[in-house]
Amino acid sequence: MENYHITHDDDRWVLREEGDKRALIEAATKEDIIAETRDYMKLRTASVKIHTLDGQIEEERTYPRDQDPRATKG
């Protein structure tokens, strides 16, 4: 399973694959990056860790949702 991170970088939110410095998706708001990530993950099996502004992990989502080992609302 691939691992991705949504983080705040300067004045934007970005999605990156773990270990890669290149941004796959950029958005102005956290809500926008989450929505765009949902579309990007439609054909992937992956874990996405969503970080807060200060870099702490706030939430983890698994795509597709049926691959999530826990029954969470994330």
Side-chain angles (χ1 to χ4, degrees):
M1 180 180 297
E2 304 282 329
N3 291 301
Y4 294 83
H5 295 265
I6 292 176
T7 57
H8 192 258
D9 188 2
D10 293 325
D11 61 346
R12 64 199 172 124
W13 288 89
V14 297
L15 173 70
R16 290 187 175 102
E17 188 169 354
E18 193 168 274
D20 193 350
K21 295 189 185 304
R22 181 178 48 104
L24 298 170
I25 302 172
E26 300 178 14
T29 67
K30 192 173 192 176
E31 293 77 20
D32 288 345
I33 195 74
I34 290 171
E36 290 183 40
T37 297
R38 189 177 311 118
D39 290 339
Y40 183 80
M41 292 295 160
K42 283 186 177 174
L43 300 176
R44 292 170 175 78
T45 300
S47 170
V48 177
K49 292 175 180 67
I50 303 170
H51 295 256
T52 59
L53 276 172
D54 65 1
Q56 298 296 314
I57 295 175
E58 175 180 41
E59 181 181 351
E60 182 175 0
R61 296 186 182 185
T62 305
Y63 296 90
R65 292 292 298 144
D66 65 358
Q67 295 296 311
D68 195 340
R70 300 175 299 168
T72 63
K73 67 175 189 163

